[in-house]
Amino acid sequence: MQNDRVKLEDPQTPYLALDPAIVTANVERLRARLDRLGVALRPHVKTAKSLDVARLVQDEPGPVTVSTLAEAEAFAAAGYRDIVYAVGIAPGKLGRVAALRERGADLVVLLDSVEQAAAVAARGLPALIEVDCDGHRGGLRADDPALLEVARALRDGGGEVRGVLTHAGESYFADGDDALREAAEQERRHAVRAAEVLRADGHPAPVVSVGSTPTAHFAADLTGVTEVRAGNFVFFDLVMAGIGVCTTADLALSVVVTVIGHRPDKGWILTDGGWMATSRDRGTARQRVDQGYGLVAGPDGVPHEDLLMSDASQEHGILSMRPGSARPLPDIPVGARLRILPNHACATAAQHDHYHVVGGGVWERIRGW
Amino acid sequence: MQNDRVKLEDPQTPYLALDPAIVTANVERLRARLDRLGVALRPHVKTAKSLDVARLVQDEPGPVTVSTLAEAEAFAAAGYRDIVYAVGIAPGKLGRVAALRERGADLVVLLDSVEQAAAVAARGLPALIEVDCDGHRGGLRADDPALLEVARALRDGGGEVRGVLTHAGESYFADGDDALREAAEQERRHAVRAAEVLRADGHPAPVVSVGSTPTAHFAADLTGVTEVRAGNFVFFDLVMAGIGVCTTADLALSVVVTVIGHRPDKGWILTDGGWMATSRDRGTARQRVDQGYGLVAGPDGVPHEDLLMSDASQEHGILSMRPGSARPLPDIPVGARLRILPNHACATAAQHDHYHVVGGGVWERIRGW
């Protein structure tokens, strides 16, 4: 983050700062990778939930992934026509899905059960079948007989088997480059295999959709895959830095806070940024280096070595030195502003209604469901 | 929660349901306690952040505590005149404080340093001095010479020493009724003692403000205290139930979710409510009984014995049986609705823009800072 483009004095703290130059660099890096691998990018807009950020990813409306129908509705209203809703569909939501399709959006839902397939088929809608590549969440294995049962229920009931979708959620806990490359290959292999099973049974299944930010950055070969989904990469965060997908210099988001007090007896600096501003996400607690509620940087974006946001109440942050650090607590006066680099960009951004853009401007976030 | 007043079918999931009858019962219980103790209630509106919920606490605008200036501004606009902003003041926020006072609100700020006192005094504003009663966060001890230094800086610079404020934040981790009673007495003792030190030095210090939901419900004597602050009690949550301040039947909030899938091989039920709907707060992880991301209840509000929301991603919840439970996973079909009873009401409510009121109606939350 360049100091001369930062206007940290403007909004009152705490607030969410976004550096668009870093977003652009992160996007270019992933695009270049995927171009080399010959695969399309379908960005997941769940991290930024912002039409303005989406414009930094695509020059004009292209394929996107959404996590809520509220996102689908906002993107469709802005001209996006190619949308995958990548959460298993609740049958009660199909009315909104159908309404969006009637307004011209090719909105495709996700499912992994005969019950869902029957409900989707009854409305004549297209769906992707969720494939489980690593036991992380939902989905079916390529060798599970249920895969064909679901596909047949969808097709025979009047729906469309658009293809398969998988997400290597366990890659967030992968340790080391080899593990990440293997997670990416496993994601590819399971998805391609499931599509082959479907095609052998007579389903066209043109779409083979894979993705997570870690696997997107480590995949060595994506043969058979038609698109990669990734969301977090626009902002990155300390969890991604801990995995080795980025460095802390690639983090586009920070929460700007103000020092409101000191407890020298405890080695604490108190700020006006608590979990309401950072979220309760402690993703790095499961990693080799626990970053507390975040690394603390100066207004110029340069981290104070070993200074962490170590605890949080609703509107208070506690900063202290990393356990075991030999460095002294820096002397930062009441009223000074600091940046907190977040564990998990998706969760931290969700605590805010808008982004304060470095260099000027305020960008709204899409909220609710 | 009464089944006949629940209209769970109305909004699309996930959404935040609020039972006003439970709020009213919770309020009456605390009011009766404080009446017996002869002390005024200054509810903390940070939990609900709602003018509608505040009307269930007070028939007409009375004294309130706020955690943000956004709350202060919203409550002042609705006719509330007696407001304490209970987060140590950042000098850069004093312009907004002064503007609110000029519009007629008696908004009082909090501080614990000479730097803050000088900034507040320069504008001729009143402040409470923060007292530390348990080492939880900020504040000064009654026997710390800094207490009088701060009071003198405030008075001599042209400000007003309105009194003292303390918060027994450690009471959230108290174990057992005796520990809670002792936390309440400790909170009282430190606050009263600090006020006495100030008065002996010639400061009027009429206000002695204490409070947390646990100590408010366990204080046996509040001699010398002029007001009690508590916020969480309007809704309660699993952390409070774990401490023993309430039972799960007293929980006024729940997140309504829909089943979207099953993983029998893992013993999982998947829902459309992830951490975006519940928050990442895992407050019960530090208690004797870890409730995961929440207890799972049916639409009637009755918990499924031993069924927990055990994991969460952004828009997915994973439900499974409590580790060690001998009960089978209940058979709950795709499309069924469930309620998640939250760890921490303040954090869960913060994930939502409004409350869906049992019996009808939508109440807005105040957002931002």
Side-chain angles (χ1 to χ4, degrees):
Chain A
M1 237 172 250
Q2 300 299 309
N3 195 19
D4 57 336
R5 289 183 293 106
V6 178
K7 294 185 177 178
L8 292 183
E9 70 281 6
D10 297 344
Q12 290 207 332
T13 53
Y15 69 88
L16 187 62
L18 179 160
D19 190 326
I22 295 181
V23 173
T24 298
N26 292 343
V27 169
E28 283 171 3
R29 178 177 157 211
L30 183 58
R31 279 222 176 275
R33 278 208 105 243
L34 298 184
D35 285 350
R36 282 198 301 276
L37 292 164
V39 178
L41 172 64
R42 179 186 291 279
H44 204 319
V45 302
K46 82 180 181 78
T47 302
K49 288 182 181 261
S50 157
L51 291 163
D52 299 287
V53 173
R55 284 186 200 104
L56 299 181
V57 182
Q58 295 168 334
D59 292 335
E60 50 189 60
V64 292
T65 317
V66 300
S67 70
T68 65
L69 289 179
E71 292 163 23
E73 287 160 352
F75 274 80
Y80 289 77
R81 289 284 171 268
D82 181 0
I83 306 175
V84 168
Y85 173 35
V87 177
I89 192 71
K93 291 176 179 162
L94 287 170
R96 276 169 80 187
V97 171
L100 269 173
R101 289 189 60 83
E102 279 158 24
R103 294 207 292 278
D106 182 16
L107 173 62
V108 178
V109 300
L110 184 68
L111 52 81
D112 65 359
S113 70
V114 169
E115 300 94 303
Q116 290 167 303
V120 169
R123 289 179 176 267
L125 302 176
L128 296 166
I129 300 180
E130 187 169 5
V131 171
D132 171 28
C133 65
D134 60 3
H136 178 68
R137 210 156 54 196
L140 299 166
R141 292 271 172 172
D143 58 3
D144 186 335
L147 180 68
L148 288 181
E149 290 167 23
V150 169
R152 290 171 187 170
L154 182 58
R155 178 191 60 196
D156 299 347
E160 177 195 340
V161 180
R162 184 67 67 88
V164 296
L165 177 148
T166 196
H167 167 63
E170 289 298 307
S171 68
Y172 284 70
F173 313 111
D175 194 0
D177 292 7
D178 288 346
L180 283 162
R181 270 188 287 270
E182 173 50 25
E185 171 54 19
Q186 180 174 290
E187 186 179 52
R188 183 200 74 79
R189 192 170 62 236
H190 280 80
V192 170
R193 177 82 193 292
E196 287 167 355
V197 169
L198 291 175
R199 290 169 191 155
D201 194 50
H203 307 279
V207 173
V208 179
S209 180
V210 305
S212 73
T213 286
T215 55
H217 287 79
F218 277 84
D221 170 38
L222 287 171
T223 303
V225 168
T226 64
E227 63 181 39
V228 168
R229 306 179 323 283
N232 182 283
F233 75 100
V234 291
F235 295 154
F236 284 129
D237 52 32
L238 293 176
V239 166
M240 289 298 128
I243 293 174
V245 177
C246 65
T247 72
T248 56
D250 300 319
L251 272 54
L253 281 192
S254 59
V255 177
V256 183
V257 303
T258 300
V259 173
I260 60 169
H262 300 87
R263 287 290 300 250
D265 55 321
K266 300 207 173 230
W268 290 350
I269 297 169
L270 299 172
T271 78
D272 65 356
W275 57 252
M276 186 65 82
T278 60
S279 89
R280 271 288 195 201
D281 199 296
R282 291 274 293 99
T284 58
R286 294 212 255 180
Q287 296 190 320
R288 263 186 286 191
V289 178
D290 184 342
Q291 307 283 26
Y293 281 91
L295 288 178
V296 183
D300 57 1
V302 178
H304 284 278
E305 201 83 41
D306 286 348
L307 184 61
L308 298 183
M309 178 168 157
S310 50
D311 208 349
S313 41
Q314 186 162 335
E315 299 290 352
H316 295 80
I318 294 180
L319 315 184
S320 59
M321 300 309 287
R322 186 185 296 282
S325 172
R327 296 171 192 273
L329 189 71
D331 186 16
I332 308 176
V334 165
R337 292 191 167 194
L338 295 167
R339 294 171 178 268
I340 309 298
L341 305 181
N343 274 270
H344 186 179
C346 308
T348 298
Q351 301 297 112
H352 297 263
D353 288 353
H354 38 250
Y355 302 96
H356 290 274
V357 182
V358 171
V362 174
W363 291 351
E364 297 297 318
R365 278 177 55 89
I366 300 159
R367 293 190 49 83
W369 288 270
Chain B
M1 239 170 252
Q2 301 297 311
N3 196 19
D4 58 335
R5 289 183 293 108
V6 177
K7 294 187 177 177
L8 292 184
E9 70 280 10
D10 297 344
Q12 291 207 330
T13 55
Y15 69 88
L16 187 63
L18 179 159
D19 191 325
I22 296 181
V23 173
T24 298
N26 293 343
V27 169
E28 284 172 2
R29 178 178 157 212
L30 183 58
R31 277 220 176 275
R33 277 209 105 243
L34 297 184
D35 286 350
R36 283 198 300 278
L37 291 166
V39 176
L41 173 64
R42 180 186 291 280
H44 204 319
V45 302
K46 81 180 183 73
T47 301
K49 290 183 181 262
S50 156
L51 290 163
D52 299 286
V53 173
R55 285 184 199 105
L56 299 181
V57 183
Q58 296 168 334
D59 293 334
E60 52 191 57
V64 292
T65 316
V66 301
S67 71
T68 64
L69 289 178
E71 292 164 23
E73 286 159 354
F75 274 79
Y80 290 77
R81 288 288 171 264
D82 181 1
I83 307 175
V84 167
Y85 174 35
V87 176
I89 191 70
K93 291 176 178 159
L94 287 171
R96 277 168 81 188
V97 172
L100 270 173
R101 289 190 59 85
E102 278 158 24
R103 294 205 293 278
D106 182 16
L107 173 62
V108 178
V109 300
L110 185 67
L111 53 80
D112 67 358
S113 70
V114 168
E115 299 94 305
Q116 290 167 304
V120 169
R123 290 179 175 264
L125 302 176
L128 296 165
I129 300 179
E130 188 169 6
V131 171
D132 171 29
C133 65
D134 61 3
H136 178 69
R137 210 155 57 195
L140 300 166
R141 292 272 170 169
D143 59 3
D144 186 335
L147 181 67
L148 288 181
E149 288 168 24
V150 169
R152 290 171 188 171
L154 183 57
R155 178 191 61 195
D156 299 347
E160 177 196 338
V161 181
R162 183 69 66 90
V164 296
L165 179 149
T166 195
H167 166 65
E170 289 298 307
S171 67
Y172 284 70
F173 313 109
D175 193 358
D177 292 7
D178 288 346
L180 284 162
R181 270 188 288 270
E182 173 49 28
E185 170 54 19
Q186 181 175 289
E187 188 180 50
R188 183 199 74 80
R189 193 169 60 237
H190 280 81
V192 170
R193 178 81 195 291
E196 287 167 355
V197 169
L198 292 176
R199 289 168 191 156
D201 194 51
H203 306 279
V207 174
V208 179
S209 181
V210 305
S212 73
T213 284
T215 54
H217 287 80
F218 277 84
D221 169 38
L222 288 172
T223 302
V225 167
T226 63
E227 64 180 39
V228 167
R229 305 178 324 283
N232 182 284
F233 75 100
V234 292
F235 295 154
F236 282 132
D237 52 32
L238 293 175
V239 167
M240 289 297 127
I243 293 176
V245 177
C246 65
T247 72
T248 56
D250 301 319
L251 271 54
L253 281 192
S254 59
V255 177
V256 183
V257 303
T258 299
V259 173
I260 60 169
H262 299 87
R263 285 293 300 252
D265 56 321
K266 301 207 173 232
W268 289 350
I269 297 170
L270 300 172
T271 78
D272 65 355
W275 57 253
M276 187 65 83
T278 61
S279 89
R280 272 286 193 200
D281 200 295
R282 292 270 297 97
T284 59
R286 294 213 255 179
Q287 296 189 320
R288 263 186 285 191
V289 179
D290 184 343
Q291 307 284 25
Y293 282 93
L295 287 177
V296 183
D300 57 1
V302 178
H304 284 278
E305 201 83 39
D306 286 348
L307 184 62
L308 298 183
M309 178 168 160
S310 50
D311 208 350
S313 40
Q314 185 162 335
E315 298 291 350
H316 295 81
I318 294 181
L319 314 184
S320 60
M321 300 309 286
R322 187 185 295 283
S325 173
R327 297 170 190 274
L329 189 72
D331 186 16
I332 307 175
V334 165
R337 290 188 169 198
L338 295 167
R339 294 170 179 269
I340 310 298
L341 305 182
N343 273 271
H344 187 179
C346 309
T348 298
Q351 301 297 112
H352 298 263
D353 288 354
H354 37 252
Y355 302 98
H356 290 274
V357 183
V358 171
V362 173
W363 292 350
E364 298 296 318
R365 279 177 54 88
I366 300 159
R367 293 188 51 81
W369 289 269

